[in-house]
Amino acid sequence: LYQCFGHSAIRVKDDLLQMDRLYNFGVFDFETPNFYVKFAHGDLLYQLAVSPGEDEIQAVGANGQGVTELRLNLSPAQRQSLFKALEINLLPKNRFYRYDFVLDNCSTRPRDVIERVTVSPVVLPDAGKQTFREMLDPYFARMPWVGLGVWLLMGANIDRPASPREACFLPADLERAVQAGKNGEQNLAAEK
């Protein structure tokens, strides 16, 4: 279930320094008691973890999942600030957070870091008309019984419209928001 929505991470790659780190805000313990209930209720602790970027991308690809990489247009100072922010988040005292299915997850955390570094909002321009539930409906088209269970667990909180910023809770929508975003006068995303 947790894989059906996709995933977002931040890769920091510097060939000169031979650095390739993938910062993943979506790490959790499968052995957590009542895992799916906690997942849906937002009571599951998630954490930031780092792994070798190319290794992680190859592993995901080997599982048959696609990987899209957007190169960000960041100044050298912004790149350093992003790296520093990620490393501070990785400290044991900072790496854990209480997961929220729509408001605090593996896509909203990268959005937040990018916003802090660029001092520009990351928003999905055409969002604001759909509720969170309507945005999630396509993901449950092939498994409606699972969707029904999730809807029951999540309650009415997902029946309000998602703001253009909140709409970035889904990885595909965060990708679209980054592609549409700006960093000052230039596009936030350089290439896909």
Side-chain angles (χ1 to χ4, degrees), residues 102 131-134 136 150-151 154-160:
V102 296
T131 66
F132 291 102
R133 185 185 306 267
E134 290 167 335
L136 288 165
V150 171
W151 300 149
M154 294 183 77
N157 294 337
I158 59 170
D159 288 322
R160 68 172 178 82

Side-chain angles (χ1 to χ4, degrees), residues 19-30:
M19 178 190 305
D20 187 5
R21 296 168 64 86
L22 190 77
Y23 293 85
N24 178 354
F25 285 95
V27 176
F28 49 84
D29 181 2
F30 282 109

Side-chain angles (χ1 to χ4, degrees), residues 68-142:
T68 302
E69 186 173 53
L70 295 176
R71 185 174 296 231
L72 301 179
N73 270 326
L74 300 177
S75 70
Q78 288 174 323
R79 287 184 203 138
Q80 189 60 40
S81 180
L82 176 69
F83 178 67
K84 183 178 179 183
L86 291 168
E87 287 294 307
I88 289 171
N89 270 283
L90 192 58
L91 293 172
K93 66 180 181 177
N94 299 331
R95 73 174 54 157
F96 291 94
Y97 69 97
R98 186 142 323 266
Y99 175 85
D100 183 294
F101 187 73
V102 296
L103 299 177
D104 198 358
N105 63 34
C106 74
S107 289
T108 63
R109 291 273 168 148
R111 176 205 62 203
D112 295 349
V113 172
I114 292 167
E115 285 180 335
R116 281 194 303 274
V117 167
T118 62
V119 194
S120 298
V122 176
V123 298
L124 191 60
D126 57 352
K129 298 172 183 72
Q130 286 186 303
T131 66
F132 291 102
R133 185 185 306 267
E134 290 167 335
M135 292 179 72
L136 288 165
D137 276 342
Y139 293 89
F140 294 120
R142 292 187 319 220

